[in-house]
Each structure stands twice: as structure tokens, then as C-alpha cells.
Amino acid sequence: QVQLEESGGGLVQAGGSLRLSCAASGRTFGTYAMGWFRQGLGNEREFVAGISWRSGSTYYADSVKGQFTISRDNAKNTVYLQLNSLKPEDTAVYSCAARSSTLPSRRAGDYDYWGQGTQVTVSS
């Protein structure tokens, strides 16, 4: 069983930055691939970024490549999402998810555990 808790969201002006954190419980955190998803008002949940369990390989949605950075610290049971050059269209609830697999997936249904999410609001 893995429990996930996100933090770091908030209100930021366009062009600003935020760092989201996802703290996980459970001794086997290091064996889960992790992903970040977001869901804006009226939109479907979409994949943002993922990181593999073993190698730390990273994967990004085309829409955020070069803008967001995912990383993980297995010793701290935490995965991070650095959000830079934020735009109003990045406004959404950001959720982290854990998948019992070596590699992350772009499909939300492939994940086993989810956090509650943290709101990111970007003002123009």
C-alpha cells in the first residue's frame, strides 16, 4: 500500500515558478514508477510527466517539455515537479500517481495509487 500527498501548489503570476512535491508512505516507494497528471476545469485528466523506478528516466507531455522537470528522491520517498515559465493554461489540479512497474505510463488507468491533488492557479 502506498499513500501519496501532494504539496506546493498555489497562486502564481504568469512567468513564475512553483515546485510541487509528492510525499509517499511505504517502504517500497523506490520500486514504483511515478507520474504527474493535471486536470483543468472542464478538461480531462492529462499526463504531464513520469519517472521510472530504477534508472530515473523521465518522460514528458509535449506540451510541457522544456518547461517542467520531474525528479525523485527515493531516500526521502518524494517525487518533485518543477514548474517554470507558468502560463494561465497551466492552471489545474496536479496529482501524483504511483505505478507498480519499472516504467511510468501516460495512461491514468495504469496507475495503482493516487494523491488528492494540489491546485495550481496561474494569473495573467
Side-chain angles (χ1 to χ4, degrees), residues 13-41:
Q13 289 188 333
S17 297
L18 286 173
R19 188 175 82 154
L20 307 184
S21 298
C22 173
S25 64
R27 293 178 295 174
T28 58
F29 171 76
T31 64
Y32 285 83
M34 299 296 295
W36 282 96
F37 289 76
R38 68 183 180 185
Q39 187 168 18
L41 192 63

Side-chain angles (χ1 to χ4, degrees), residues 20-22 29 34 36 51 70-72 77-81:
L20 307 184
S21 298
C22 173
F29 171 76
M34 299 296 295
W36 282 96
I51 188 165
I70 188 171
S71 60
R72 68 188 296 163
N77 283 2
T78 302
V79 64
Y80 305 97
L81 186 67

Side-chain angles (χ1 to χ4, degrees), residues 56-76:
S57 298
T58 56
Y59 307 82
Y60 296 94
D62 288 341
S63 59
V64 305
K65 201 171 295 183
Q67 182 189 1
F68 294 176
T69 302
I70 188 171
S71 60
R72 68 188 296 163
D73 186 337
N74 288 343
K76 294 183 178 180

Side-chain angles (χ1 to χ4, degrees), residues 3-115:
Q3 292 184 327
L4 305 172
E5 183 173 3
E6 302 93 338
S7 61
L11 174 64
V12 63
Q13 289 188 333
S17 297
L18 286 173
R19 188 175 82 154
L20 307 184
S21 298
C22 173
S25 64
R27 293 178 295 174
T28 58
F29 171 76
T31 64
Y32 285 83
M34 299 296 295
W36 282 96
F37 289 76
R38 68 183 180 185
Q39 187 168 18
L41 192 63
N43 295 333
E44 293 186 354
R45 180 181 288 175
E46 64 172 346
F47 172 80
V48 175
I51 188 165
S52 67
W53 155 35
R54 189 190 302 270
S55 67
S57 298
T58 56
Y59 307 82
Y60 296 94
D62 288 341
S63 59
V64 305
K65 201 171 295 183
Q67 182 189 1
F68 294 176
T69 302
I70 188 171
S71 60
R72 68 188 296 163
D73 186 337
N74 288 343
K76 294 183 178 180
N77 283 2
T78 302
V79 64
Y80 305 97
L81 186 67
Q82 179 68 40
L83 315 177
N84 294 329
S85 303
L86 284 162
K87 298 168 278 190
E89 51 264 43
D90 294 318
T91 294
V93 174
Y94 286 72
S95 301
C96 66
R99 182 186 188 207
S100 183
S101 174
T102 302
L103 296 176
S105 170
R106 296 175 184 271
R107 297 185 301 181
D110 289 341
Y111 288 80
D112 302 293
Y113 303 101
W114 288 83

